[in-house]
Amino acid sequence: MAGQRMSVTRRTVLRGAVAAGALAGAVAAGAAKPSRASADPGRRVAVLGGGVAGMTAAHELAERGYDVTIYERRALGGKARSIAVPGTGTGGRPDLWGEHGFRFFPGFYHHIPDTMRRIPFAGNANGVWDNLVAAPEARFSRTSGDDLIIPMGKAGRIWATPDDFRETVSSAISTSTKMGEVDALYFANRLLVFNTSCDARRDDQWDKTSWSDYVGSGHRSNEFRMLLSRTLTTLLVAAKDNLASTKTIGNMGEQFLGNPMEAGNDGPLDRLLNGATTDAWLQPWADLLHGMGVQVVNAEVRGLELAGKRITGAQIVDGSGASRTVDADYFVCAVPVEVARTLWTPEILSLRPELAGTSQLTVDWMTGIQFYLKNQTDIARGHTAYVDSPWSLTSIAQNQFWNRTPFSGMGDGTVQDCLSVDISDWNTPGMLYGKPAKECTHDEISREVWAQLKAHLDTRKDLLRDDDLHSWFLDTGVTWDAQQGRNANIDPLLINTAGSWALRPDTHGQDLENLFLAADYVRTNVDLATMEGASEAARTAVNKLLDVDGSNAPRCKLFTLYRAEVLEPFRQLDIARYASGQSNMFDAPA
C-alpha cells in the first residue's frame, strides 16, 4: 500500500496561532493572565479537563465574572481537536490535519450551535456558527454494490395522527431502502411506540431493553437487521445493537425524524465544519477564552482532597512532571468517565454514593484514521456507512466541504483530498488478517480499513484507487504495545448500554457542596456521548454552581429535545398506563 503512518507525539497541541499566539502562553503552567476586576474573592473555579465540556464550563463561568483555570493534560478541545501531523508541511505550507474522528453537527443540536454563535470569527456575522455547512446526502454502501443514496435535505410533512405517522414513516423507509412493506410498517410502529411513551417508561422499561430486543431484529429480514438494527446503532453510538439502550437509540431516532421537516431544529440534518475543527472552531474559541482571562494549565488531574463536605484541592502533575495541589472555591470535573471514576475516594463516595455506579458504565472504542489522497474522491456528498464492514466503518471525504482550508494548500502540495474514516468496532476480526483492530499493528489497521472500504466500492473502482493513496494517519490516542500484541486507547467512548441510565449521576449532589460534574456521562436530556451532551452537562453544572454560590447572574440556556406535539396527548395517556403496569397503547404483538 502506498503511504505510511505519520508519527506525532502525544503532546501535540493546537497548531498555528496556538503555537505562535495567545494560547501558547496560556497552556504553560503559571502563564500570566489578564487581570479581571469582576472576579471577586470566593469565586475561583478549577475546571478539571479541557475538552468541549471543560471549555463550555469555562466560557459560561468567565462570562459571569468567575476566575477560571482549566487543567488539561494534552490540548484544549480534547477528542474534538484536530491534530497537526508534524513534518508533513513543506514549501511554507502548514502540516496536514489529522483528527480523532470526523465532526458531525446534526440539526437537532442546540447547545453547541448556541456557543458557536458567541465565538467571534472574522467575516462571519454569526461567529463560528457560520462555518457549518450542510451535507446534502448520505450513502449506505454494500459489498454487493446495491448502495443507497439518501437525500439529507428538507423532506415530507409533519404527521397529523398516529396512523399518519406509521404510513408516512413506513413509506419513507420502504422507498429509500427498498425494504419490504411489512418490515417497514413494523419498524414505523416501533418508532411510534417509543415516540408515544412517557418519560417514566423511557427511563425505566426502554432503558433496560436493548435495541435489538426492542425492534425484534431476530425475527425480521436480513435487510432489517443490517440497516435498522446493526448499522443504526453503530452509526449513533458505536455500540452493538444487542447492548445499546433503547432509550438512547429511540431518543436519537425521534430527532432524526423531526429534523428533515425542520421541526425543533437549528439547521439542516447533517452539518460539518468548512475546515479543520481547530481552525474553524476550537482555536477561535481558545482565543476568546484567553481574552476573557481564562488560564489554561498543562496538567493531569490525579486526585481530589476532601475536608468535611468540600473539595479542598486537586492533585495534579503538570507538564514538567512536578506534582502539586491546586486549590479553588469550586471544582468542575469535566474529565471523561474512565478518568473521573479513579478520583472517587471512599470519603467522596460516602457523600455521593451514587457515583459508585460510574464504575459499571461501559466505554468502548470509536477512533478515526485519515487517508490522504492525490486526487479528489467522489464517494458521496456526505457521510458514507459501509454496511457490511466487519469494523463498522463510516467515512466522509473532507475536501469538498473545506472551502476555508483546502488540502491542496497543506502538506507537500500533492494531497488533494482526505477520506476521514471512523472505526466503530475494534473487537470483530477483519477480512485481511482475521484479527480485531485492537490486535492489529497500525500498519495492519490501515491496510485492513482500506481493504474493507474497497470491498464496498469495488463496483466503482475509480472511487478509491491504490495509486491515489498518498499517506495515512491514525489517531495518536491509539498506541501499539508490541509486548502485549495489542493496542491501548486513552480516548475511549462512553456507550449507553441497556440499564445504564440508573448508573449515571446528576451534575451535583448537595452533600458534596463544591464539586460539579460536567461530562457526557452525567444525566442529560440529549442522553448521548457527544459534544452536544458534553455542552449540556457543562451548562447544567454551571447553573448548579450559580445556585450554590447564590449568584444572581443569568443561568445558562438549556434546550430540550424535539417531540412531535401531535403525539403529546398519547404520551400523557401513557403516564397512567405505565404506572398501572400496562403496555403502551400501540405496543401490539408483531
Side-chain angles (χ1 to χ4, degrees):
M1 174 181 292
Q4 60 184 1
R5 173 174 168 78
M6 298 174 177
S7 63
V8 62
T9 66
R10 287 178 54 188
R11 293 191 178 276
T12 299
V13 294
L14 299 175
R15 187 184 71 193
V18 179
L23 189 58
V27 298
K33 177 173 69 67
S35 60
R36 275 231 317 268
S38 60
D40 300 326
R43 291 160 64 86
R44 298 170 306 148
V45 183
V47 176
L48 312 178
V52 169
M55 293 180 75
T56 301
H59 188 171
E60 300 290 348
L61 287 163
E63 282 188 340
R64 290 157 177 81
Y66 286 82
D67 188 346
V68 183
T69 301
I70 298 174
Y71 297 89
E72 166 55 38
R73 61 178 174 169
R74 285 179 297 174
L76 287 182
K79 290 192 286 285
R81 78 194 191 285
S82 306
I83 305 169
V85 186
T88 55
T90 62
R93 287 175 292 269
D95 290 333
L96 293 167
W97 279 122
E99 308 237 5
H100 172 76
F102 53 72
R103 305 274 72 82
F104 169 43
F105 302 84
F108 60 81
Y109 278 14
H110 287 284
H111 298 91
I112 291 291
D114 177 70
T115 295
M116 286 179 158
R117 288 184 174 92
R118 291 150 51 204
I119 302 171
F121 196 93
N124 288 359
N126 299 297
V128 165
W129 185 86
D130 283 341
N131 289 337
L132 293 174
V133 293
E137 68 183 22
R139 180 174 185 154
F140 292 80
S141 184
R142 329 277 192 106
T143 53
S144 65
D146 186 19
D147 290 5
L148 303 172
I149 307 293
I150 300 179
M152 290 286 107
K154 181 179 178 181
R157 57 180 175 79
I158 296 178
W159 37 82
T161 66
D163 285 342
D164 189 21
F165 177 99
R166 272 188 294 246
E167 293 170 6
T168 302
V169 173
S170 64
S171 176
I173 292 173
S174 60
T175 300
S176 60
T177 67
K178 303 177 183 178
M179 188 175 295
E181 293 183 4
V182 173
D183 273 351
L185 185 59
Y186 170 78
F187 186 72
N189 192 72
R190 297 312 291 160
L191 294 179
L192 177 63
V193 169
F194 187 87
N195 285 14
T196 56
S197 290
C198 64
D199 286 332
R201 191 186 297 278
R202 295 183 187 207
D203 293 347
D204 186 24
Q205 181 181 1
W206 297 147
D207 183 66
K208 295 176 181 176
T209 305
S210 72
W211 182 248
S212 62
D213 284 345
Y214 180 76
V215 298
S217 62
H219 305 288
R220 314 311 301 183
S221 66
N222 183 64
E223 183 84 348
F224 183 101
R225 290 193 300 272
M226 290 298 295
L227 288 179
L228 301 180
S229 191
R230 177 178 183 264
T231 302
L232 189 62
T233 51
T234 54
L235 277 175
L236 293 178
V237 296
K240 295 184 182 298
D241 54 354
N242 64 331
L243 299 176
S245 162
T246 292
K247 170 182 165 65
T248 298
I249 304 300
N251 278 340
M252 291 302 97
E254 196 167 25
Q255 306 317 301
F256 278 106
L257 283 174
N259 206 150
M261 293 173 288
E262 299 185 353
N265 61 318
D266 177 81
L269 177 60
D270 188 354
R271 296 178 296 180
L272 306 95
L273 287 166
N274 62 1
T277 312
T278 290
D279 282 344
W281 174 27
L282 295 180
Q283 182 55 53
W285 199 7
D287 292 340
L288 174 63
L289 295 182
H290 180 73
M292 297 169 74
V294 174
Q295 274 197 98
V296 183
V297 176
N298 176 210
E300 181 176 358
V301 180
R302 294 288 181 85
L304 297 173
E305 298 179 355
L306 179 72
K309 293 185 176 183
R310 295 182 62 82
I311 301 296
T312 57
Q315 302 161 5
I316 67 168
V317 176
D318 64 27
S320 68
S323 300
R324 61 189 176 96
T325 299
V326 297
D327 64 345
D329 302 300
Y330 299 102
F331 294 82
V332 176
C333 186
V335 295
V337 66
E338 69 276 5
V339 177
R341 57 195 178 196
T342 67
L343 306 177
W344 312 146
T345 64
E347 293 76 19
I348 288 175
L349 291 175
S350 70
L351 295 174
R352 289 202 63 183
E354 71 276 15
L355 295 182
T358 59
S359 65
Q360 300 178 57
L361 294 176
T362 299
V363 295
D364 209 336
W365 298 15
M366 184 176 188
T367 308
I369 183 171
Q370 285 79 50
F371 293 101
Y372 304 104
L373 307 176
K374 299 173 188 176
N375 289 291
Q376 292 199 50
T377 184
D378 189 29
I379 294 174
R381 296 182 300 153
H383 292 92
T384 298
Y386 300 86
V387 176
D388 306 316
S389 57
W391 290 0
S392 296
L393 306 178
T394 51
S395 76
I396 187 82
Q398 292 179 313
N399 197 66
Q400 61 186 312
F401 301 103
W402 284 21
N403 54 45
R404 290 196 60 260
T405 53
F407 277 92
S408 58
M410 293 185 280
D412 62 7
T414 66
V415 173
Q416 299 297 311
D417 207 345
C418 173
L419 187 65
S420 186
V421 183
D422 276 357
I423 306 170
S424 297
D425 188 338
W426 286 72
N427 302 301
T428 298
M431 55 184 286
L432 278 188
Y433 301 102
K435 297 186 295 185
K438 286 182 179 178
E439 298 176 9
C440 288
T441 66
H442 294 180
D443 185 65
E444 288 173 340
I445 289 174
S446 73
R447 293 174 181 274
E448 180 73 57
V449 171
W450 187 260
Q452 291 185 29
L453 296 176
K454 289 189 66 178
H456 282 73
L457 303 173
D458 192 52
T459 56
R460 287 280 310 278
K461 295 182 184 297
D462 58 316
L463 292 180
L464 207 60
R465 300 182 303 179
D466 291 345
D467 290 344
D468 280 343
L469 182 58
H470 174 280
S471 51
W472 55 270
F473 173 82
L474 181 66
D475 175 29
T476 54
V478 177
T479 55
W480 174 252
D481 186 328
Q483 289 187 334
Q484 296 292 326
R486 63 187 297 110
N487 288 292
N489 187 353
I490 60 174
D491 291 314
L493 178 73
L494 174 71
I495 303 298
N496 289 345
T497 55
S500 61
W501 180 255
L503 303 173
R504 293 163 60 189
D506 292 323
T507 57
H508 183 249
Q510 61 181 6
D511 289 334
L512 192 49
E513 299 171 354
N514 65 336
L515 179 66
F516 306 86
L517 310 183
D520 56 19
Y521 64 90
V522 304
R523 292 181 177 182
T524 59
N525 185 50
V526 73
D527 187 39
L528 189 63
T530 58
M531 297 180 294
E532 178 75 354
S535 179
E536 182 187 345
R539 290 164 179 247
T540 304
V542 169
N543 285 348
K544 292 290 185 180
L545 189 155
L546 296 175
D547 291 343
V548 171
D549 194 40
S551 172
N552 61 2
R555 274 24 182 190
C556 305
K557 192 171 184 179
L558 294 171
F559 300 85
T560 57
L561 293 176
Y562 162 76
R563 291 185 181 178
E565 292 183 9
V566 70
L567 299 180
E568 182 59 28
F570 301 97
R571 285 189 285 270
Q572 292 299 315
L573 290 172
D574 196 52
I575 295 174
R577 292 182 65 90
Y578 184 68
S580 63
Q582 298 181 47
S583 63
N584 179 278
M585 65 186 301
F586 300 107
D587 196 0

